[in-house]
């Protein structure tokens, strides 16, 4: 039986909200509650819980005087509301309260950001069942499970992308991955906030456009991780392995320069820090080589197979591509698909041109019929002119 005390609330931020969603949907493991002291100690001591690998304990100790006061006053069975941005987004039913002795081992600390420890965790933690009401992941995970079961799919590959921005190397990686899988799950992950970061919605829009227009529809599923920061910029590949496994993947593809994989070599050959989890989860981890555009080969190649030197290689630096986009410049088509560049520029620079229709009609051939055009179409046609070769 649960009871509710007046003004019994805990304030959470976006980071905690996203982590709770992952736990609720069993994306980080089958256990979907906030752990008590004994359960947390087992995870910290062994790295496992209920026969599953678990690198972090589900200990919840939100920082702040008000939050800590609520936790200290909580009794078993109390229902405590979770507040985010002034709105009730869920609740916890208190099972126990205990002093948190190892904050660094908490899943809520897995995103290792440079903040003082007293701003990231309180002194006391609360355990128990909880529910988040706005659950965007529930249907996406259920849909993925239905597809796998209905079609008896066996070879399922996962790929985690920031797509910031989505460029030609991403395209090549996606196509190579689909070629050896029956189903590809693309997880779109958040990036650290900043002035030179494309919005999550815009990145999802560009990725969705590529999927809908250039990939087989029945073999690709996009899973937006829009509410969680745990996978930011690939800082925690171990959690990527676990999330991919719990979505049904049998293989995970990561890049050679993937942050945190810890590539090393011994007498058995190349190894990564993910090998242990690969074995525990029965998940094959594929480390892809570095790819570049070679102006001698005139295509995208692996640095391991291209015979030409680095002076012939064009690298796909995401920050440089974004610098061009934020300056309003269309990246060359060998770097980014023109339709993708056009989508991004039309959102970064809305209403950029005073008389877009006149400029469009002056530059591009038309059928003689008056037609309305938007900025996206303008950028696409402009790229077509850049690619004209007879006078260049």
């Amino acid at each position: 039986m649960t009871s509710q005390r007046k003004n019994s609330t805990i304030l959470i931020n976006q980071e905690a909200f996203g982590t709770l969603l992952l736990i609720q949907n069993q994306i980080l493991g089958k256990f979907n509650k906030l752990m008590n002291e004994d359960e947390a100690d087992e995870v910290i001591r062994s790295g496992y819980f209920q026969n599953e690998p678990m690198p972090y304990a589900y200990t919840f100790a939100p920082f702040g005087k008000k939050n800590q006061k609520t936790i200290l006053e909580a009794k078993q069975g109390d229902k405590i509301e979770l507040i985010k941005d002034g709105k009730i987004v869920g609740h916890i039913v208190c099972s126990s309260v205990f002093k948190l002795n190892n904050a660094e081992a908490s899943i809520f600390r897995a995103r290792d950001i440079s903040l003082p420890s007293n701003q990231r965790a309180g002194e006391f933690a609360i355990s128990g069942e909880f529910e988040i009401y706005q659950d965007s992941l529930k249907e996406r995970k259920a849909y993925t499970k239905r597809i796998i079961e209905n079609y008896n799919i066996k070879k399922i590959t996962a790929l985690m992308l920031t797509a910031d921005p989505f460029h030609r190397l991403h395209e090549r990686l996606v196509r190579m991955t689909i070629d050896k899988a029956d189903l590809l799950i693309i997880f779109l992950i958040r990036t650290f906030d900043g002035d030179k970061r494309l919005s999550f919605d815009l990145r999802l829009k560009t990725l969705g456009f590529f999927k809908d227009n250039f990939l087989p529809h029945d073999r690709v599923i996009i899973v937006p991780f829009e509410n969680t920061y745990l996978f930011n910029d690939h800082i925690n590949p171990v959690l990527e392995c676990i999330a991919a496994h719990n979505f049904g993947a049998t293989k995970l593809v990561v890049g050679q320069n993937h942050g945190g994989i810890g590539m090393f070599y011994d007498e058995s050959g190349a190894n990564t820090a993910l090998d242990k989890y690969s074995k525990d989860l029965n998940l094959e981890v594929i480390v892809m080589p570095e790819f570049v555009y070679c102006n001698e080969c005139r295509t995208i190649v692996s640095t391991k197979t291209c015979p030409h030197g680095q002076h012939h290689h064009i690298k796909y630096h995401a920050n440089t591509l974004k610098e061009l986009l934020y300056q309003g410049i269309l990246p060359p088509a060998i770097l980014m698909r023109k339709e993708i560049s056009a989508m991004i520029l039309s959102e970064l620079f809305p209403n950029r041109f005073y008389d877009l229709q006149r400029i469009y009609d002056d530059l591009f051939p038309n059928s003689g019929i008056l037609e309305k055009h938007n900025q996206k179409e303008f950028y696409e046609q402009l790229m077509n002119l850049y690619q004209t070769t007879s006078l260049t």
Side-chain angles (χ1 to χ4, degrees):
M1 181 176 178
T2 62
S3 61
Q4 184 144 16
R5 293 182 291 108
K6 188 176 180 180
N7 298 324
S8 181
T9 61
I10 289 177
L11 304 178
I12 62 172
N13 57 19
Q14 177 70 31
E15 188 172 342
F17 176 79
T19 303
L20 288 168
L21 272 178
L22 292 174
I23 296 172
Q24 176 169 286
N25 284 282
Q26 299 178 306
I27 293 173
L28 302 178
K30 292 184 178 65
F31 191 75
N32 61 352
K33 304 174 186 177
L34 296 174
M35 290 180 171
N36 60 36
E37 188 171 16
D38 291 339
E39 291 165 337
D41 286 345
E42 180 182 340
V43 172
I44 295 168
R45 183 180 67 256
S46 68
Y48 290 83
F49 190 73
Q50 296 180 350
N51 298 318
E52 285 188 295
M54 188 168 287
Y56 299 97
Y58 296 172
T59 48
F60 185 58
F63 178 74
K65 289 183 179 179
K66 184 178 183 305
N67 286 341
Q68 286 291 293
K69 183 174 185 293
T70 296
I71 290 174
L72 282 171
E73 293 177 352
K75 301 292 187 292
Q76 186 177 16
D78 283 353
K79 181 179 177 181
I80 301 171
E81 292 179 335
L82 298 171
I83 309 294
K84 175 180 170 290
D85 300 328
K87 297 180 180 179
I88 299 174
V89 296
H91 70 263
I92 298 172
V93 177
C94 177
S95 176
S96 68
V97 172
F98 60 96
K99 187 173 183 180
L100 187 64
N101 295 318
N102 193 338
E104 289 74 16
S106 171
I107 187 63
F108 295 90
R109 291 284 299 273
R111 177 191 169 197
D112 189 19
I113 53 177
S114 55
L115 289 175
S117 59
N118 65 350
Q119 292 184 23
R120 289 186 277 174
E123 185 178 0
F124 292 91
I126 185 171
S127 72
E129 296 182 352
F130 69 92
E131 181 181 355
I132 299 295
Y133 306 141
Q134 304 167 6
D135 194 344
S136 58
L137 281 174
K138 182 178 181 179
E139 176 52 34
R140 182 53 38 174
K141 190 181 180 191
Y143 171 77
T144 304
K145 183 179 179 181
R146 286 198 304 271
I147 293 295
I148 293 172
E149 291 179 350
N150 290 346
Y151 294 96
N152 195 27
I153 298 174
K154 300 300 183 184
K155 294 191 294 184
I156 306 153
T157 300
L159 182 63
M160 296 213 177
L161 294 179
T162 58
D164 186 28
F166 186 78
H167 51 66
R168 292 288 190 179
L169 285 196
H170 292 136
E171 292 190 22
R172 174 60 64 89
L173 183 59
V174 168
R175 291 188 188 280
M176 291 176 64
T177 303
I178 293 177
D179 194 44
K180 297 183 178 181
D182 298 321
L183 180 68
L184 172 62
I185 304 173
I186 302 177
F187 296 93
L188 183 65
I189 61 178
R190 295 197 72 93
T191 58
F192 286 118
D193 297 331
D195 294 336
K196 298 299 183 182
R197 298 286 184 172
L198 300 179
S199 72
F200 186 89
D201 289 342
L202 179 53
R203 292 185 287 118
L204 180 59
K205 182 179 176 181
T206 59
L207 183 58
F209 171 83
F210 179 71
K211 170 188 175 291
D212 292 342
N213 291 276
F214 301 102
L215 297 176
H217 292 190
D218 58 346
R219 294 178 59 194
V220 181
I221 294 175
I222 297 175
V223 177
F225 272 172
E226 71 266 40
N227 289 309
T228 178
Y229 292 90
L230 281 185
F231 307 99
N232 281 37
D233 298 336
H234 306 293
I235 60 175
N236 207 322
V238 169
L239 293 182
E240 293 186 20
C241 287
I242 294 173
H245 167 75
N246 285 309
F247 254 87
T250 57
K251 182 186 298 184
L252 174 68
V253 173
V254 300
Q256 180 176 289
N257 298 322
H258 206 71
I261 65 170
M263 181 75 77
F264 64 92
Y265 297 85
D266 60 20
E267 65 275 4
S268 62
N271 300 272
T272 78
L274 304 181
D275 290 347
K276 171 182 179 295
Y277 294 92
S278 173
K279 182 178 180 181
D280 287 338
L281 300 169
N282 195 24
L283 179 77
E284 183 181 2
V285 178
I286 304 296
V287 181
M288 300 297 288
E290 181 182 6
F291 288 96
V292 295
Y293 181 89
C294 176
N295 60 17
E296 286 291 316
C297 297
R298 294 187 179 277
T299 189
I300 294 174
V301 296
S302 162
T303 55
K304 290 186 176 181
T305 61
C306 179
H308 308 110
Q310 289 189 12
H311 54 288
H312 289 292
H313 292 169
I314 298 171
K315 295 190 176 183
Y316 289 73
H317 294 293
N319 288 337
T320 301
L321 289 173
K322 282 187 292 186
E323 189 66 33
L324 292 177
L325 292 166
Y326 274 96
Q327 293 298 325
I329 299 172
L330 277 165
I334 65 166
L335 299 179
M336 286 183 65
R337 186 176 290 273
K338 64 182 180 182
E339 296 91 345
I340 302 286
S341 299
M343 291 173 67
I344 294 173
L345 285 177
S346 62
E347 289 214 18
L348 291 180
F349 299 94
N351 305 315
R352 184 181 190 183
F353 301 101
Y354 175 72
D355 191 353
L356 177 65
Q357 188 65 44
R358 179 189 60 77
I359 299 173
Y360 193 101
D361 292 338
D362 286 348
L363 284 177
F364 310 124
N366 60 71
S367 61
I369 301 173
L370 186 62
E371 298 174 330
K372 292 279 289 182
H373 298 283
N374 57 37
Q375 287 196 116
K376 179 177 178 294
E377 293 172 312
F378 171 79
Y379 289 121
E380 290 176 1
Q381 291 297 326
L382 191 61
M383 180 60 79
N384 288 338
L385 288 188
Y386 287 146
Q387 293 175 286
T388 301
T389 58
S390 62
L391 295 177
T392 59

